[in-house]
C-alpha cells in the first residue's frame, strides 16, 4: 500500500507543451509525455527482455538497440545483455509480427513507461518497438548518478504514415555505406520511407541483369549491384524503413539512352550528361518497343524491390524531342493528343498498367496527375499544398515535398513551418485529409558528395521528421532549435559526418591545421539559397566540379548567426539579459579582427582566395555594428549621413560573393536602423 | 638545349637533413630527397598511367591511390583518371610482379621524380610502387595555385624489412572495419606487417571449422569468420601488408580450454577470463593429444593464413598448473626436464615441428629462445636489444618490440629513441645485424575499445614506423614532432578516429555539447604510464569495465603540455622569442581559471566527478606558475619559504589522481626552481 501511494505521489502530470518534456532531447516530440520523479540508471548490468511474442526480427531489433546504447555510453559488448523478460530492466512487448514486407500504414504506436526500477515498452508491432527504442536512446543522459533515463510515461504514434527522405544518387553517386549511415539517421528520427532516386540524366545507378547496358554504359561504373540493393533493403527493414525506388521517366533519362538509344525520342548517340538542368532527351511514348522494354525492366525491378510502391518520376519533360520528331507528331494527331501533356499522360497510363501488372502501385511527381490514371496512384507534390489538396479532392493520395527540398539551403525553421495540411489542404474533409499520406525531405544532389551530404541532410531533416510525426500544434521554433542542436550531436554516435567533416574540409581549404580564423568566418556564412548557386556561378558547375570550396563546407544554416540575430533582436526589443550586449560586442569584435588573421592565409591556398572579399565585408559590417553600439552606449542618435553610408555598405555586403551569404549583415542592419532611427532603403536590383 | 639548361639551373640539391625536406609532411623520412624548383599541380585533369609491366594488382593499387587522392582533395570520382602512360601526369613503372603471397624482404624501394610537367615513379615491384604512391599522397599540399606536389627527386628504401604493428584482439575484440582502417594507417606510414594477436585468456577470435568450440565457447560470439579473415588478408595484400597470425600457447590460452578443457594442465571446467594479468592455465605439454590437436589446428590455420610466418606466442607461462599436476611432474622427471623452462622448451620443439610440417616458419616471444630450436625461427623481443643481440649471435633472427609497447602511454619521442641496433646489438657483426629484421609496435588491448584504439595507435606509431624505415641518423625530435602533428591530421582522411573520437568522448563525459572547459583540462593531462593504471586502480578493471572515463579519452601524449614545456624551457634558457612569455602566461591563466568553469559541471555528470581534484590541482599549479613569473617580472628572487611551500604543492599535484598525470606540473616546477634558485626536493614515496 505504501508503495502504491508513493508512486502516485511522485507522478507529476504535465502536458507535452509544458517546459519539462521540451527540455528532453526528444525529436520528434512524442504525442504525450508524462514526467515522473526519479530516473532509471543505465549501467553495465542493464538488460533487455522480450515479453510476449518474439521472433528473429524482434531479437535483432533488440540487439541493434543494445549496440547503439553501448556505443552511446561507451560500454563494452559484454555488458548490457538480452535476458529473460522476468529479470530484464527494460521489457519490450510486441503483440504481433509485421508483414514480410513493411507496408504503408502499419501500426507504429508505442507506449514507454520508465520508472526508477525498470522500463516497459509496449507496442502492437516490431515497428512500434523500434520507434519506442529510438525514443529510449534519445532519453539516455549523462547524470551525476550514471547514465540514466528520466522516469516518465510516453504514449506516441505518428501523425502521418509516410515520412520519407529522398536521396538522389543519380546526379552524384552516393556509396552504399553513406546511404546506410543516413538510414541510421532516418531511423533515429522515426522516418520510415527511403525514397531512392536511382536514375537521372547524369547516371543510372542499379544493376539490371536484363538490360546490363543501363549500368555498364550509363553509370561511369558507379552503381549498386543487385546484391548491394538487397543488402540495403535488409538494412532498412531492420530499421523499420521502406525502400521505394524511383526510376525517372520519360524525362530525366539520358543515362538510359547511352546504352539503349532506341528508347529515346531523338536520334542518338547519347552520352552521360555532365551538366545540371532540364534536358531534351525523353523516352519515345509512341513506340511499342519502349513499353516492351519497360515491361521487362519494371518486372525485374519489381522483384528486386519488395515495397508495394514504385516511383516512376514523371517530372520536367521539356518536350523538345517530341516536338521535333515527325513520327511522334503524327502519332499525336492520330490519337487525338493535343499537346505534350496529353502525350505524357498517355505514356503514364501505359506505364501505370505495367507497374500494376507487376503488382506495384505507381508513385510520381505532380505532373503525372491526370484523370486518366486510376485512383490508387500516389502523387508526390513539389508544387505545394494546394496541388496536393486538388489531388485529394479528386480521390488521389499525395505526399508533400514542396517546402522540404533540403538542397535549397533553407533554415530548419522554414522547413519546420511547412504544414502538409495547410492552404487548401486545411479545408479538406476528414476523408480527403486521410489521402495526404505525409511528406518527404528531398536531397537533390547537384552539390553533394559523400563528404558533405550528411551536412546537407542533418540536422535539418530532423525538423521535417518532427513535422511529419508530431502533433500539428508542435510548432515552437525555439524549442525545436534547442532540441535540434542536441539531436545533431547525438546523431554523431551513428557515424554521421555532418559535424566531423566540417573541420576536415576547412583544414583542406586552409592547407593548414590552424583553422581558427577560417572557422570563425565559415561559422557565420551560409551557402546562397534556392537555385542562386547556378544563377550566379562564374563557371558552370558540372558533375566533374570538385565540391571542396567554402560553400561546400559551410553549413546550410549558421547556428552562430542565429544566435547573434536572436541576441540583437532581444537587445532591440529591450528584453535582453545583461550578458547579451557584451556578447554582441564580443562577436562583432572577433569578426572585425578576423580578417587580419585570415588575410595572410590568402597566399597559402587557392581555395581561400574567393572568400577574402567576403571576409573583408565581415570585418566592415562588424565595424559598423560596433559603431552603432557606440551610439547606443553614448545615448546619442546616430547621424543620418553615417547611417546612409553604412546602409550602402551593408547593401553591398548583403550581395552574395563566392556564392556565400554573410549572415551577420541583417542583424547589423537592424542595429544601424535602431541607432539612427532610419530604415534602410530597399535593396537596389 | 635551352630546356635542359633551364632544368639544370632550377635544380637545387639539398641533403635530407637540410631544412626544406624536413618541412615536407613526410613520415617516414625518405632515404634521399632532392628539392627542385616549382611544383606539379594536381587538378581534376590529373591522371596516372602504368608504364612497363602491368597487371590486375598494379591497376588496383593505382585505383586505390586515386581514391585516396580524390578524398584528400575533394575531387569527384569522375575526375583524375587512369590513362595511357603516354598521356599521364604521373607514370608508374614497376619492373616485375610480387610473389603471390607477400614475402619478407621483398624489394620495397622506389624512385619518385616530380617536375612541374609531370611525375615518374619507378620501382622494382608493386610493393615499391605502393610505398612511392604513399609518399606522393603525403606530398600533396594546398597551395595558392591549387593542390600541388613540390618538384623533387626522392630515392627511398626501408632500413628494416619487417616493420609491424601488432593488435591484440583477444583481450578486447576489435571489429574488422576498425582493423581495416588501421591497416590503411599502416600503409600510409609504410608499415608492412600486421601481427594479429588472435587468442588470449580473454578470447579466441577466429573461426575454426575443425575445432568449432574454440570460437563458440571461447569468444562470447566476438570472432572473425574465416571469410572475414580472408577478406582482411586481401585488404592487407592490396596495401602491401603481410598478415602474421598469433595463437598464443601454451599459456595465455584459457579461452581455448572453455571448449577443450582436455588441452589444459589442470582440471576444468574453464570460463573465459575477465580479468587482466598472467594466469595459471597452460596447455599440457606432456599429452600426445595436445599435439594431435595442435597439428590439426595449425594445419587449418596454416591454410587460412598465407604468410610464411606463424606466431605461437610462448610468453608468460607461470607454471603453476604444471607444478601441481603429478602426471606432468612424473613426465618431467622421466624426460630429464629440470624445470618449467625445460618443459616449455620441449613443448616449443614439438610445436615448431608441427608449424614446420605445415610449411611455416615459427615466430615467438623471447621465452621461446632455446638452443634446441632450429635457426630459422624468429624471436620477437619484449626484453630488449641485448636479448635480441644474444639471439642474433646464436644465429637467430629477431624483431624488437621492447620500447614499442604503445599501450604504455609513452610519448612518441621515447619510442622514437628506441634504436634496434643499439646496446649490445650495436656491436654485432654486419652478418649478425642482418638478423635483426626490424620491429613491431604492440597494441595490447586491456584498455582499448573500437572507440579509442585509434588514439592509442596514432599518431605515435608513425614515429615508430619512421624509426624502422628511415636511416639510423634521422633522429631530430623536433622535426619528428612537427611532421607527426601534420601526419596525424592527414591520417584523418583515412577514416581513422584518433582525432574525431576525442570530442565525442568528451561530450559523453560532460553530458553536454559545451566541452570547452573539459577540453582545456583533458588537453593537458595524460593517462598514467606503464602498468600504473592497474597498480593504482581503486576497483580492479576487467573486460567488462566501460572505457568511457577521462583516462580513456585523454591522449597518450599531450601536445599542449609539450608545447608549454618547450616554451618554458626556451624561456629559462634565455632563447625564447618575445611571444613566449605572454603565451606561457596565457596558458597558466587559462588553466588557473578553468576550474571555475569545470566545477559546476561536477553535478552534471558522474564521469566528471573524479577529475575535479585534478582540475583543482591544475588551477593551483597554474597559480604557482603565475606567481613564479611575477617574481621574474619584478626581478626578484622568490623567497625560500614560498618555494618550499610550492614544491610541496607540486609534489602533491604530481601524483596521479583519477589515474591521470597533470602534465603542466613539471614545467611549473622548473619555473619555481628558476625563480627561487632552489631545487625541488626529490619526491617522497
Amino acid at each position: 500500500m505504501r508503495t502504491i501511494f508513493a508512486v502516485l505521489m511522485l507522478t507529476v502530470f504535465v502536458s507535452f507543451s509544458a517546459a519539462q518534456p521540451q527540455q528532453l532531447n526528444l525529436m520528434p516530440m512524442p504525442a504525450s509525455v508524462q514526467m515522473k520523479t526519479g530516473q532509471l540508471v543505465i549501467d553495465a548490468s542493464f538488460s533487455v527482455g522480450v515479453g510476449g511474442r518474439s521472433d528473429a526480427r524482434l531479437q535483432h531489433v533488440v540487439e541493434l538497440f543494445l549496440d547503439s546504447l553501448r556505443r552511446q555510453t561507451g560500454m563494452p559488448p559484454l555488458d548490457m545483455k538480452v535476458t529473460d523478460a522476468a529479470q530484464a530492466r527494460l521489457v519490450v512487448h510486441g503483440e504481433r509480427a509485421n508483414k514480410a514486407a513493411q507496408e504503408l500504414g502499419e501500426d507504429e504506436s508505442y507506449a514507454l513507461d520508465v520508472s526508477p526500477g525498470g522500463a516497459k515498452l509496449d507496442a502492437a508491432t516490431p515497428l512500434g518497438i523500434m520507434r519506442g527504442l529510438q525514443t529510449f536512446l534519445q532519453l539516455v543522459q549523462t547524470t551525476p548518478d550514471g547514465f540514466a533515463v528520466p522516469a516518465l510515461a510516453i504514449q506516441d504514434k505518428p501523425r502521418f504514415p509516410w515520412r520519407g527522405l529522398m536521396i538522389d544518387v543519380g546526379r552524384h553517386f552516393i556509396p552504399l555505406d553513406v546511404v546506410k549511415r543516413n538510414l541510421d539517421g532516418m531511423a533515429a528520427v522515426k522516418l520510415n520511407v527511403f525514397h531512392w532516386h536511382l536514375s537521372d540524366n547524369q547516371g543510372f545507378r542499379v544493376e539490371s541483369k536484363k538490360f546490363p547496358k543501363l549500368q555498364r554504359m550509363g553509370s561511369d561504373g558507379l552503381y549498386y549491384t543487385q546484391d548491394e540493393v538487397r543488402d540495403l533493403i535488409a538494412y532498412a527493414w531492420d530499421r523499420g524503413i521502406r525502400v521505394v525506388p524511383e526510376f525517372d521517366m520519360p524525362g530525366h533519362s539520358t543515362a538510359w539512352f547511352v546504352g539503349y538509344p532506341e528508347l529515346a525520342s531523338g536520334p542518338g548517340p547519347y552520352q552521360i550528361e555532365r551538366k545540371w538542368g532540364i534536358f531534351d532527351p525523353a523516352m519515345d511514348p509512341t513506340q511499342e518497343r519502349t513499353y516492351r522494354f519497360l515491361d521487362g525492366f519494371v518486372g525485374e525491378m519489381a522483384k528486386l524491390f519488395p515495397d508495394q510502391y514504385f516511383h516512376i518520376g514523371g517530372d520536367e519533360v521539356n518536350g523538345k524531342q517530341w516536338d521535333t520528331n515527325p513520327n511522334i507528331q503524327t502519332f499525336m494527331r492520330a490519337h487525338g493528343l493535343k499537346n505534350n501533356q496529353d502525350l505524357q499522360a498517355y505514356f503514364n497510363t501505359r506505364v501505370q498498367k505495367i507497374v500494376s501488372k507487376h503488382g506495384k502501385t505507381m508513385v510520381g511527381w505532380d505532373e503525372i496527375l491526370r484523370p486518366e490514371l486510376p485512383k490508387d496512384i500516389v502523387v508526390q507534390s513539389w508544387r505545394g499544398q494546394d496541388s496536393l489538396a486538388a489531388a485529394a479532392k479528386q480521390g488521389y493520395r499525395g505526399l508533400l515535398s514542396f517546402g522540404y527540398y533540403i538542397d535549397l539551403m533553407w533554415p530548419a525553421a522554414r522547413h519546420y513551418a511547412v504544414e502538409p495540411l495547410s492552404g487548401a489542404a486545411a479545408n479538406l474533409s476528414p476523408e480527403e485529409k486521410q489521402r495526404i499520406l505525409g511528406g518527404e525531405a528531398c536531397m537533390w544532389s547537384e552539390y553533394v558528395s559523400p563528404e558533405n551530404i550528411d551536412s546537407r541532410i542533418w540536422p535539418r531533416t530532423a525538423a521535417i521528421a518532427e513535422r511529419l510525426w508530431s502533433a500539428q500544434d508542435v510548432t515552437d521554433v525555439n524549442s525545436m532549435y534547442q532540441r535540434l542542436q542536441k539531436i545533431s550531436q547525438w546523431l554523431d554516435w551513428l557515424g554521421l559526418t555532418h559535424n566531423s567533416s566540417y573541420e576536415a574540409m576547412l583544414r583542406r581549404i586552409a592547407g593548414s591545421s590552424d583553422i581558427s580564423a577560417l572557422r570563425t568566418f565559415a561559422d557565420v556564412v551560409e551557402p546562397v539559397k534556392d537555385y542562386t548557386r547556378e544563377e550566379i556561378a562564374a563557371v558552370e558547375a558540372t558533375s566533374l566540379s570538385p565540391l571542396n570550396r567554402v560553400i561546400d563546407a559551410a553549413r546550410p544554416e549558421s547556428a552562430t548567426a542565429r544566435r547573434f540575430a536572436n541576441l540583437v533582436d532581444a537587445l532591440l526589443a529591450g528584453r535582453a539579459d545583461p550578458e547579451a550586449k557584451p556578447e554582441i560586442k564580443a562577436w562583432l569584435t572577433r569578426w572585425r579582427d578576423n580578417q587580419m588573421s585570415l588575410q595572410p592565409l590568402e597566399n597559402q591556398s587557392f581555395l581561400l582566395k574567393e572568400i577574402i572579399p567576403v571576409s573583408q565585408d565581415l570585418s566592415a559590417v562588424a565595424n559598423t555594428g560596433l559603431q552603432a553600439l557606440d551610439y547606443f552606449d553614448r545615448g546619442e542618435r546616430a547621424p543620418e549621413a553615417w547611417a546612409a553610408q553604412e546602409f550602402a555598405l551593408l547593401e553591398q555586403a548583403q550581395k552574395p560573393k563566392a556564392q556565400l551569404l554573410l549572415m551577420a549583415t541583417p542583424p547589423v542592419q537592424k542595429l544601424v536602423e535602431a541607432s539612427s532611427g532610419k530604415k534602410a532603403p530597399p535593396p537596389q536590383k
Side-chain angles (χ1 to χ4, degrees), chain A:
Chain A
M1 188 62 209
R2 265 186 62 199
T3 314
I4 290 170
F5 180 73
V7 169
L8 286 174
M9 287 295 290
L10 291 172
T11 305
V12 182
F13 288 86
V14 289
S15 82
F16 74 79
S17 62
Q20 252 188 310
Q22 298 262 358
Q23 284 161 358
L24 298 172
N25 302 337
L26 289 175
M27 192 161 236
M29 187 57 74
S32 141
V33 181
Q34 293 177 353
M35 298 306 295
K36 302 195 291 187
T37 301
Q39 59 183 19
L40 172 64
V41 171
I42 311 288
D43 58 17
S45 71
F46 182 80
S47 55
V48 190
V50 178
R53 202 200 59 78
S54 180
D55 60 14
R57 186 185 197 196
L58 202 51
Q59 294 289 342
H60 190 51
V61 164
V62 168
E63 291 290 355
L64 287 177
F65 161 75
L66 282 178
D67 284 347
S68 300
L69 186 59
R70 287 188 201 105
R71 192 166 41 206
Q72 203 173 321
T73 56
M75 305 269 189
L78 301 176
D79 291 342
M80 306 204 293
K81 298 241 179 259
V82 182
T83 56
D84 284 351
Q87 276 105 50
R89 211 72 61 80
L90 167 63
V91 178
V92 304
H93 192 287
E95 281 168 31
R96 56 175 198 270
N98 283 111
K99 304 275 173 61
Q102 190 172 325
E103 287 183 5
L104 174 65
E106 282 188 88
D107 194 331
E108 298 177 272
S109 68
Y110 67 91
L112 175 64
D113 190 277
V114 180
S115 297
K120 264 177 43 190
L121 173 62
D122 292 310
T125 69
L127 274 186
I129 298 288
M130 288 182 205
R131 307 302 175 232
L133 290 173
Q134 290 295 339
T135 299
F136 192 93
L137 288 171
Q138 290 189 352
L139 287 167
V140 176
Q141 299 165 3
T142 310
T143 79
D145 304 309
F147 299 108
V149 171
L152 44 63
I154 287 177
Q155 300 278 345
D156 200 9
K157 62 176 181 182
R159 184 166 160 232
F160 293 105
W162 188 309
R163 306 176 308 280
L165 169 65
M166 187 214 76
I167 298 182
D168 165 15
V169 300
R171 289 175 175 81
H172 275 104
F173 180 68
I174 303 298
L176 208 65
D177 60 326
V178 180
V179 176
K180 281 185 178 175
R181 71 186 183 220
N182 278 287
L183 290 181
D184 285 328
M186 290 177 65
V189 296
K190 303 185 172 61
L191 291 174
N192 67 356
V193 180
F194 173 50
H195 169 175
W196 210 352
H197 183 85
L198 283 161
S199 70
D200 217 301
N201 298 305
Q202 294 81 3
F204 188 95
R205 305 300 183 194
V206 171
E207 175 191 27
S208 168
K209 294 185 193 288
K210 260 199 174 109
F211 304 105
K213 283 190 283 185
L214 284 172
Q215 74 272 11
R216 258 190 235 147
M217 300 177 71
S219 77
D220 298 297
L222 301 168
Y223 66 93
Y224 312 101
T225 65
Q226 294 202 356
D227 278 346
E228 287 172 329
V229 169
R230 278 186 283 268
D231 177 39
L232 197 278
I233 291 168
Y235 194 89
W237 157 253
D238 282 341
R239 285 150 185 82
I241 296 171
R242 295 165 43 212
V243 178
V244 175
E246 175 184 353
F247 297 96
D248 210 343
M249 58 183 88
H252 284 285
S253 48
T254 309
W256 306 53
F257 304 154
V258 184
Y260 300 93
E262 64 273 22
L263 294 175
S265 304
Y270 290 87
Q271 307 245 303
I272 297 176
E273 185 58 56
R274 302 299 181 201
K275 296 187 177 183
W276 309 133
I278 298 175
F279 298 94
D280 302 348
M283 291 182 187
D284 187 341
T286 70
Q287 298 289 340
E288 283 308 306
R289 64 170 178 250
T290 302
Y291 301 108
R292 280 195 301 274
F293 183 101
L294 289 176
D295 186 33
F297 176 76
V298 172
E300 183 184 13
M301 293 300 134
K303 284 201 192 77
L304 183 59
F305 291 90
D307 199 79
Q308 177 60 37
Y309 292 80
F310 194 95
H311 204 304
I312 60 111
D315 55 324
E316 299 181 327
V317 181
N318 72 11
K320 287 192 188 163
Q321 278 199 339
W322 294 345
D323 295 341
T324 54
N325 180 325
N327 293 335
I328 291 177
Q329 294 303 313
T330 308
F331 180 93
M332 287 171 71
R333 281 191 297 274
H335 290 73
L337 303 168
K338 288 195 217 69
N339 52 33
N340 287 335
Q341 285 70 42
D342 283 359
L343 182 59
Q344 191 174 348
Y346 168 80
F347 174 82
N348 288 340
T349 310
R350 296 287 305 267
V351 171
Q352 190 277 329
K353 289 204 180 89
I354 293 170
V355 170
S356 179
K357 171 187 160 192
H358 293 291
K360 302 291 183 180
T361 304
M362 189 169 98
V363 189
W365 298 97
D366 274 313
E367 291 95 323
I368 68 160
L369 185 64
R370 292 271 295 212
E372 297 93 323
L373 286 171
K375 299 298 183 209
D376 77 328
I377 66 158
V378 175
V379 178
Q380 179 166 20
S381 182
W382 56 268
R383 289 185 179 150
Q385 292 89 337
D386 293 353
S387 165
L388 214 52
K393 274 185 195 290
Q394 294 170 50
Y396 292 102
R397 293 174 302 165
L399 298 169
L400 187 66
S401 278
F402 166 86
Y404 301 144
Y405 272 28
I406 50 181
D407 60 315
L408 301 186
M409 305 285 172
W410 295 2
R414 188 166 168 192
H415 293 301
Y416 194 60
V418 176
E419 163 57 46
L421 297 183
S422 65
N427 301 319
L428 294 173
S429 73
E431 195 194 339
E432 288 161 352
K433 280 184 180 171
Q434 289 285 322
R435 295 186 191 128
I436 314 283
L437 300 175
E440 286 186 359
C442 290
M443 180 74 268
W444 298 108
S445 71
E446 282 90 343
Y447 300 107
V448 301
S449 67
E451 184 173 66
N452 76 349
I453 188 169
D454 295 10
S455 74
R456 275 58 191 134
I457 298 177
W458 307 103
R460 295 177 304 149
T461 294
I464 299 174
E466 174 155 295
R467 174 59 47 244
L468 297 172
W469 175 282
S470 303
Q472 189 166 4
D473 61 354
V474 175
T475 53
D476 181 334
V477 169
N478 285 331
S479 162
M480 181 275 285
Y481 272 121
Q482 273 169 28
R483 289 177 291 118
L484 193 67
Q485 193 193 350
K486 289 180 175 164
I487 290 294
S488 173
Q489 293 202 321
W490 177 71
L491 290 171
D492 286 350
W493 294 120
L494 310 181
L496 287 165
T497 65
H498 56 297
N499 292 317
S500 62
S501 73
Y502 182 61
E503 291 206 8
M505 293 180 81
L506 294 187
R507 281 203 297 264
R508 177 201 289 140
I509 291 165
S512 158
S513 58
D514 179 6
I515 54 166
S516 49
L518 176 57
R519 194 191 175 120
T520 296
F521 173 84
D523 276 354
V524 72
V525 296
E526 291 179 7
V528 288
K529 309 296 162 187
D530 303 313
Y531 298 104
T532 313
R533 183 166 181 172
E534 272 93 343
E535 289 158 18
I536 64 173
V539 179
E540 188 181 0
T542 71
S543 57
L544 303 166
S545 305
L547 297 174
N548 55 12
R549 295 163 55 206
V550 173
I551 186 180
D552 300 307
R555 295 186 162 116
E557 182 171 16
S558 157
T560 301
R562 193 173 64 242
R563 178 169 178 83
F564 180 73
N566 286 344
L567 286 167
V568 167
D569 286 348
L571 182 76
L572 297 180
R575 55 181 167 71
D577 63 36
E579 284 162 23
K581 206 196 240 178
E583 189 180 336
I584 293 172
K585 275 196 190 169
W587 281 116
L588 291 169
T589 307
R590 185 166 164 190
W591 290 332
R592 184 194 59 196
D593 300 342
N594 195 57
Q595 165 62 4
M596 289 220 310
S597 313
L598 202 56
Q599 179 82 56
L601 305 183
E602 184 184 8
N603 298 322
Q604 182 174 302
S605 161
F606 71 110
L607 291 167
L608 270 178
K609 277 182 194 158
E610 65 174 349
I611 65 163
I612 296 299
V614 198
S615 172
Q616 285 163 346
D617 282 355
L618 177 61
S619 180
V621 165
N623 194 46
T624 298
L626 286 167
Q627 287 175 15
L629 285 181
D630 271 353
Y631 285 114
F632 286 127
D633 286 348
R634 293 201 301 268
E636 282 176 28
R637 167 157 293 205
E640 208 166 308
W642 174 82
Q645 176 189 313
E646 302 308 315
F647 286 142
L649 181 154
L650 292 166
E651 193 191 330
Q652 285 308 311
Q654 200 97 276
K655 291 183 179 155
K657 297 185 183 75
Q659 295 162 305
L660 294 170
L661 294 174
L662 190 53
M663 302 308 289
T665 312
V668 167
Q669 180 165 311
K670 288 186 187 172
L671 287 174
V672 175
E673 288 177 341
S675 68
S676 65
K678 295 282 163 197
K679 270 295 204 195
Q684 310 269 312
K685 271 287 165 191

